[in-house]
Amino acid sequence: MSLSFWIKLKILWVITDVQKIYYPVLATFGVPVNMIAIMILVRGKCGLSKCVTYYLVAMAAADLLVIIFDLILRQIPITYRDEFLFLLYIHLCNIHAVILYAATDCSVWFTVMFTFDRFVAICCQKLRNKHCTKKTACAILGTVTVMSCLKNIFWYFMYYNKYWLSNSPWFCRVPPNVSSSIVWTIIELMHYIITPFVPFILILLLNALTVRNIISANRARRRVLGHTPGASASDAEMLSRRKSMIMLFIISGNFIVLWVVFIADSILKRFDYLGYPVPLPTFVREIGFMLQLLSCCTNTFIYAVTQRKFREELKNGIMFPITK
């Protein structure tokens, strides 16, 4: 065997050892931080609009479900497979798969919808009053949830109902006649195109359009203020726009950075179906899983960094047992 093969194998062994610590630690932090974010946001004292609050609560709830059904009930049993062999005899895997993939779709598409909402709020002044409302937010979030569930219901019929403790995207046993069929190939390709490839492209596009609009608007506003006697150097509208932009870019940037490895691996591996195989080391997929799951645990910290009132609510919550 070649030297490069042994190097890749050793890297994979190291990553596997790291996962035995990384996944339990991530679960230990991921569940409480998302629950804390939900509780703080639901109180409605962070100075955010109802519309934004609904999106952030939905994103935190979806992330929490991904942590439970993907990290705790999938990746940790795979990592500690010797201790979780009982899973092989549990007839729940196809149900688990439907919930897991629906939750993942919701987590990703809620981020897209939030990005679009902020794009409208910042760049489309005429549409903002009609679109950026709690009623519209509820309708969009409900529609995305229903569509995600319907999109993934077919996994129930594509899998055996027993687990297969192998660290691959498909953790349930697949009947041989299904895995070799053209139907499976099409469904698998469409699954990865719809989530997360299309959301990835949409977020990049919406952010690019938002940046271009903000730069143009700020230049025009500076020219107007520059010819207005007594105009304040710290314009309130520009300050508000800047705060919205910072939170939007950090949240969407976090998604892009932490999902890019998983997306690249998922798309390149599917080139095999087209007759253009792109060999990738197995450890790339493992790193993709690790970063993807990390993205479900970071939004609370983003809110704390970008939102002063969120930090105050978080501090009050921490100090309450002490000052009581």
Side-chain angles (χ1 to χ4, degrees):
M1 294 184 182
S2 64
L3 179 61
S4 62
F5 172 82
W6 285 110
I7 292 174
K8 293 174 183 177
L9 188 60
K10 286 183 178 180
I11 294 174
L12 180 60
W13 288 343
V14 170
I15 291 175
T16 301
D17 289 337
V18 170
Q19 286 175 339
K20 291 182 177 180
I21 301 173
Y22 175 80
Y23 284 142
V25 170
L26 195 63
T28 302
F29 281 96
V31 171
V33 298
N34 279 290
M35 291 180 68
I36 289 169
I38 292 170
M39 288 187 290
I40 291 176
L41 291 167
V42 166
R43 285 167 57 86
K45 296 183 178 180
C46 296
L48 301 170
S49 67
K50 288 285 186 181
C51 175
V52 171
T53 299
Y54 282 17
Y55 281 112
L56 298 186
V57 169
M59 289 161 61
D63 286 344
L64 180 59
L65 290 176
V66 172
I67 291 169
I68 294 171
F69 287 99
D70 196 346
L71 177 56
I72 297 176
L73 296 179
R74 174 187 172 189
Q75 293 297 345
I76 290 178
I78 288 172
T79 303
Y80 290 90
R81 56 175 59 87
D82 292 338
E83 290 80 7
F84 285 88
L85 287 177
F86 70 91
L87 281 176
L88 291 171
Y89 305 101
I90 296 178
H91 295 252
L92 291 175
C93 195
N94 46 0
I95 299 173
H96 181 189
V98 172
I99 298 172
L100 187 158
Y101 295 132
T104 302
D105 282 0
C106 285
S107 176
V108 172
W109 281 97
F110 286 168
T111 304
V112 176
M113 293 300 103
F114 171 73
T115 304
F116 180 74
D117 179 84
R118 292 300 86 197
F119 165 76
V120 172
I122 294 171
C123 305
C124 307
Q125 301 300 313
K126 294 182 179 180
L127 184 59
R128 180 173 61 181
N129 292 334
K130 293 183 179 180
H131 182 274
C132 301
T133 64
K134 63 180 182 180
K135 183 178 179 180
T136 302
C138 288
I140 290 174
L141 294 171
T143 301
V144 170
T145 302
V146 171
M147 293 299 293
S148 296
C149 293
L150 293 176
K151 168 186 172 291
N152 292 288
I153 196 82
F154 61 81
W155 293 121
Y156 182 89
F157 305 99
M158 301 290 285
Y159 289 146
Y160 283 134
N161 53 16
K162 286 187 179 181
Y163 288 89
W164 176 45
L165 293 184
S166 173
N167 203 2
S168 65
W170 317 117
F171 63 107
C172 304
R173 293 188 181 276
V174 183
N177 62 317
V178 172
S179 60
S180 60
S181 68
I182 187 64
V183 175
W184 170 270
T185 301
I186 293 172
I187 288 176
E188 190 181 13
L189 283 170
M190 292 302 297
H191 175 78
Y192 281 109
I193 289 172
I194 295 173
T195 304
F197 184 70
V198 171
F200 189 87
I201 299 300
L202 287 175
I203 288 175
L204 285 175
L205 177 62
L206 289 170
N207 281 342
L209 293 173
T210 302
V211 169
R212 188 183 69 172
N213 183 277
I214 287 174
I215 291 173
S216 300
N218 285 350
R219 286 175 178 171
R221 194 162 185 83
R222 287 195 188 99
R223 286 195 296 269
V224 172
L225 293 176
H227 293 86
T228 304
S232 173
S234 58
D235 181 51
E237 184 173 335
M238 290 179 65
L239 184 62
S240 175
R241 188 181 299 162
R242 188 179 300 116
K243 288 181 179 179
S244 295
M245 181 182 67
I246 289 171
M247 184 169 69
L248 167 65
F249 288 168
I250 294 178
I251 290 176
S252 54
N254 171 73
F255 170 81
I256 290 168
V257 170
L258 296 181
W259 274 80
V260 66
V261 177
F262 180 82
I263 292 171
D265 177 76
S266 300
I267 296 299
L268 292 177
K269 281 188 177 298
R270 273 66 201 173
F271 271 72
D272 292 347
Y273 297 136
L274 304 176
Y276 301 99
V278 181
L280 287 176
T282 304
F283 66 80
V284 174
R285 182 179 60 199
E286 300 300 320
I287 294 173
F289 284 144
M290 295 167 71
L291 293 177
Q292 174 207 349
L293 290 169
L294 178 61
S295 70
C296 295
C297 306
T298 53
N299 280 349
T300 302
F301 299 101
I302 292 172
Y303 307 151
V305 170
T306 59
Q307 299 295 316
R308 178 180 58 82
K309 291 186 178 181
F310 185 93
R311 290 195 299 271
E312 292 175 356
E313 288 293 305
L314 180 60
K315 181 180 177 181
N316 293 337
I318 295 172
M319 297 300 295
F320 180 76
I322 301 173
T323 57
K324 186 177 179 181

